[in-house]
Amino acid sequence: MSLPSQEPCATLPRASFTLPPLPAAMPSSPPDVSSQVLLPLGGLVGREVDLDAFLQALVDRIAITLQADRGTLWLLDPVRRELFSRAAHLPEVAQIRVKLGQGVAGYVAEAGEPVHVPDPRGERRFFADIDRMTGYRTISLAAVPLRDAAGAVYGVLQVLNRLGGGPFTEDDTRKLTDIAAQVSTALQTTSLYQELQRAKDQPQAPVGYFFNRIIGEAPPLKALYRLVQKAAPTDATVLLRGESGCGKELFARAIHVNGPRRDKPFVKVDCAALPAALIENELFGHEKGAFTGADHRVPGKFEAADGGTVFIDELGELPQAVQGKLLRVLQDREFERVGGTQAVKVDVRIVAATHRDLPRMVAEGRFREDLYYRIKVVELLLPPLRERGAEDIERLARHFVATAAKRHRLPPPRLSASALTRLMRYRWPGNVRELENCIESAVVLCEGEILEEHLPLPSLDRALSPAPSVQEPAPAPEAPLLLPLAEVERRHILRVLEAVKGNRTAAARTLEIGRNTLARKLKEYGLADEG
C-alpha cells in the first residue's frame, strides 16, 4: 500500500478551457441537476483559456449542486497506473495519488462502476490514510467513473460529505453519473485529454506540453505562452515573426480564442498565396462596376470578420499600394471598397505574421515605416524548431506519428532509436511543418517501425567526401554555417525541386504553398531558370 504523494503529476500539461461564473446560489432541489450544472458547457467547446480555472470552478459547481462539502476530479496517469487529484477541494495538500484499486476512487477506476458509501466505517474499499494525512473526516461519499467515447475509464468524479448531514443516496449517484457524462464530453475536447491518451499509447516518450493545441515546453515557447495569455484578453494588434513553418497561425488562433472576440469570426488572409493585384480586393472587397466583371458588390475579408479577428499571414508580401489602406484600418477602423468612395466602418482585431525581416524592408523602402510601427504593438518572435531542443522534437515527432497513423487508418508504428537520433540531428529549415510531413511519409512507408531509412531527409548535412586514409589525419570538423533566412529558404526550395525532379506543381504541394508563390520565390532568389 503506497501513501498519497504530494509530488506534481508527470502528466499534467497546462491545457486550457473556460467556464462562466458560478451562480450566486443553487436551488435546494433543482428539477434537473445535471443540466443545471453543465448547461453552459455547450458554448465552450473549442475555447481554450485556463483549464485549471475551468476544472476548479467545475468541481465547485458540482459540489454545490450535490450539496457536498468537497469534490474531487481524479484523472488516470496511464504511465504509473495511478489516479491523481487534478482538481479538488484539498487545502491541506497540493495533490493526492492512489493506485488503481486503492480506495473508493481507485476501485471505481478499476471496476468502472459507480459507488456510494453511506458510512465509511467498516467499508473495505475506503482508504483511511488520506483522512489521516489531511486531517479531514469523511462521513459519506459517492464516486462515478469518467469514460471516453470508446467507453474506457480515464478518471473519477467524487463528492464527500453531504451538507446538513445524512449520506449520499443512489439517486445522488445517478445524478453524479449524468454529470460525469457531460464533464467527460467537455474534457475530451481539451489538450489535457489528448495528452493523457498520448501518454497511454507511448509511455516511453517525454510528456508533451500543450498550450492551445501547441506542443512544446522549451523555455522560448513557455515565454511566448505567457505573452499570449497577457495579450489575448485585449484588443491589441499583434505581430508574429518567425521562420516559415514554425506555427504562427496556431499562435494567431490562440490569441483569438483566448480573447473577447472568441465567438466572432477568425478570418485568414494569406498574402503569399494571392497575386498582388488581387490582395486589395480580397481584403477590402469591391463595389459593383469597379472593374470588368464586377456585376455586384462583394464584401472583403475585413467586413466578413466584423466583430472578430483578421489574421494577415505573410504580411511582408503585402504590396505597398495596399499598405496605406491597411494603415488606415489600423488607425481609424475604416476603409473604402475597391471602386468605392464611401467609408466602411469595421470593428476587427488584427493579428499579422511574417517570416520577412521587416526592419530591413523598411530600411530598403519596401515596407512602410509608419505601418510597421503601427502593427507591432505586441511583437512575438517564434523560435525555429532547431532552437527548441531535442525533447520538443521528440514530443512533436511522436505526436505526428500518432496523428498520421490515425489519419491513414494505420496502427501507430514504433519510432526507432536510430530514426529519433536522425530527427534530432537534422536542422529542420522547414521547421514544424517539415517535421510533420517527414513523419507522415515515414508512417505511410514503414512496416511497423520507423527506421532511419524511412525518413525522407536530405543527405546534405552528412559528410560528402570519402573517409580519410590511415596515413592522413581527418580534418577538424567545420563550425556550423550560419546562413541568412533567405538563403536557407533558397536551399530548401532547391532540395525539394531536386527531390521531385523539377516538377513545380509537386514542389509547391510539398512546400504547402501555391504554384504562383513558388514561381515568385524562384524569381526573387534568381532561380527562375533552375526548375
Side-chain angles (χ1 to χ4, degrees):
M1 182 180 296
S2 64
L3 288 176
S5 167
Q6 298 183 44
E7 297 178 359
C9 172
T11 50
L12 280 182
R14 290 200 176 273
S16 37
F17 223 86
T18 188
L19 189 72
L22 289 171
M26 296 293 293
S28 57
S29 300
D32 185 347
V33 173
S34 61
S35 62
Q36 287 284 339
V37 176
L38 296 177
L39 185 60
L41 288 181
L44 300 174
V45 175
R47 299 185 191 177
E48 306 210 0
V49 182
D50 184 357
L51 184 63
D52 294 326
F54 164 70
L55 294 178
Q56 194 58 54
L58 182 62
V59 170
D60 290 345
R61 182 172 291 179
I62 292 169
I64 291 172
T65 306
L66 271 295
Q67 300 179 15
D69 182 51
R70 290 188 174 188
T72 305
L73 171 67
W74 301 87
L75 292 179
L76 178 62
D77 181 341
V79 179
R80 301 186 188 180
R81 291 184 57 79
E82 295 176 343
L83 286 178
F84 59 92
S85 56
R86 185 60 176 85
H89 300 122
L90 285 172
E92 302 88 358
V93 294
Q95 187 184 88
I96 294 178
R97 281 177 166 268
V98 296
K99 298 288 187 183
L100 276 182
Q102 186 178 57
V104 172
Y107 172 83
V108 169
E110 186 175 56
E113 60 185 38
V115 168
H116 81 283
V117 178
D119 185 348
R121 290 175 298 183
E123 171 58 59
R124 60 179 177 79
R125 294 171 296 190
F126 180 67
F127 187 38
D129 283 7
I130 297 178
D131 275 9
R132 284 193 286 270
M133 182 181 68
T134 62
Y136 183 80
R137 183 187 174 196
T138 301
I139 299 173
S140 65
L141 63 95
V144 299
L146 287 172
R147 296 182 181 274
D148 62 18
V153 176
Y154 69 93
V156 172
L157 204 56
Q158 177 180 278
V159 289
L160 304 176
N161 293 2
R162 177 183 275 281
L163 295 175
F168 292 106
T169 65
E170 289 281 0
D171 187 50
D172 293 323
T173 306
R174 283 193 295 271
K175 292 172 182 175
L176 189 59
T177 299
D178 291 341
I179 291 171
Q182 297 182 57
V183 169
S184 182
T185 299
L187 285 180
Q188 287 175 72
T189 68
T190 69
S191 47
L192 170 63
Y193 174 77
Q194 296 172 21
E195 178 59 10
L196 290 172
Q197 293 303 107
R198 204 280 306 144
K200 180 174 68 175
D201 296 336
Q202 300 170 336
Q204 75 280 12
V207 175
Y209 184 105
F210 280 77
F211 173 84
N212 292 265
R213 310 187 191 283
I214 302 166
I215 302 173
E217 59 178 353
L221 279 188
K222 287 186 175 180
L224 280 173
Y225 299 156
R226 290 191 291 270
L227 292 175
V228 168
Q229 288 170 328
K230 291 179 180 179
T234 72
D235 268 341
T237 303
V238 178
L239 175 63
L240 301 166
R241 293 179 58 198
E243 297 178 10
S244 294
C246 61
K248 294 187 287 293
E249 184 173 349
L250 282 176
F251 276 92
R253 290 186 182 276
I255 291 166
H256 173 72
V257 299
N258 286 308
R261 299 174 181 268
R262 62 176 67 91
D263 292 323
K264 300 297 182 179
F266 177 86
V267 177
K268 176 184 175 182
V269 182
D270 187 351
C271 298
L274 294 168
L278 296 182
I279 291 179
E280 181 179 9
N281 185 67
E282 186 78 5
L283 285 172
F284 306 111
H286 64 259
E287 295 285 357
K288 179 179 179 181
F291 49 83
T292 302
D295 53 0
H296 62 283
R297 173 187 291 174
V298 175
K301 298 295 189 183
F302 278 108
E303 288 180 85
D306 193 32
T309 301
V310 174
F311 172 47
I312 305 176
D313 199 10
E314 297 301 348
L315 176 71
E317 310 294 335
L318 196 66
Q320 285 189 305
V322 184
Q323 292 176 21
K325 293 191 72 169
L326 178 59
L327 178 63
R328 182 182 176 188
V329 175
L330 286 167
Q331 290 176 334
D332 305 323
R333 292 300 191 267
E334 68 177 28
F335 61 89
E336 294 170 2
R337 300 186 190 93
V338 176
T341 57
Q342 189 173 12
V344 179
K345 288 280 188 180
V346 289
D347 173 23
V348 294
R349 181 180 194 172
I350 295 176
V351 178
T354 184
H355 72 281
R356 298 291 187 194
D357 184 348
L358 291 187
R360 180 179 175 182
M361 293 180 67
V362 169
E364 294 172 351
R366 294 187 292 133
F367 197 85
R368 291 184 58 138
E369 184 176 19
D370 49 1
L371 175 59
Y372 173 62
Y373 290 118
R374 188 75 185 186
I375 209 163
K376 62 176 232 122
V377 177
V378 176
E379 188 173 26
L380 304 181
L381 183 61
L382 277 60
L385 182 56
R386 62 184 171 274
E387 294 180 5
R388 289 171 51 178
E391 286 199 350
D392 266 12
I393 291 175
E394 182 176 357
R395 290 183 179 96
L396 286 163
R398 294 190 185 279
H399 172 73
F400 291 143
V401 166
T403 55
K406 182 177 180 180
R407 182 184 308 122
H408 297 291
R409 299 176 296 281
L410 297 170
R414 180 177 174 273
L415 187 61
S416 70
S418 62
L420 187 58
T421 300
R422 177 72 176 123
L423 293 173
M424 293 176 177
R425 285 181 52 232
Y426 185 56
R427 296 288 293 170
W428 299 112
N431 292 294
V432 179
R433 184 183 297 126
E434 184 184 9
L435 173 61
E436 181 178 12
N437 292 338
C438 171
I439 293 296
E440 182 173 9
S441 173
V443 168
V444 171
L445 298 178
C446 75
E447 297 181 359
E449 182 177 25
I450 297 176
L451 305 175
E452 185 175 356
E453 55 263 32
H454 295 132
L455 301 174
L457 295 177
S459 58
L460 299 181
D461 60 334
R462 300 175 180 174
L464 299 177
S465 57
S469 65
V470 177
Q471 292 80 11
E472 298 178 1
E478 296 182 4
L481 183 61
L482 301 179
L483 299 173
L485 176 60
E487 179 63 17
V488 171
E489 183 179 72
R490 175 184 178 277
R491 294 188 180 195
H492 183 56
I493 289 174
L494 276 177
R495 283 200 296 268
V496 172
L497 280 168
E498 182 181 358
V500 298
K501 297 181 173 57
N503 186 320
R504 292 191 181 185
T505 300
R509 187 183 305 115
T510 301
L511 293 165
E512 294 190 358
I513 60 177
R515 200 176 188 281
N516 290 339
T517 302
L518 175 60
R520 186 166 67 250
K521 289 180 181 294
L522 291 175
K523 183 177 180 181
E524 180 180 338
Y525 292 130
L527 303 175
D529 299 326
E530 297 189 39

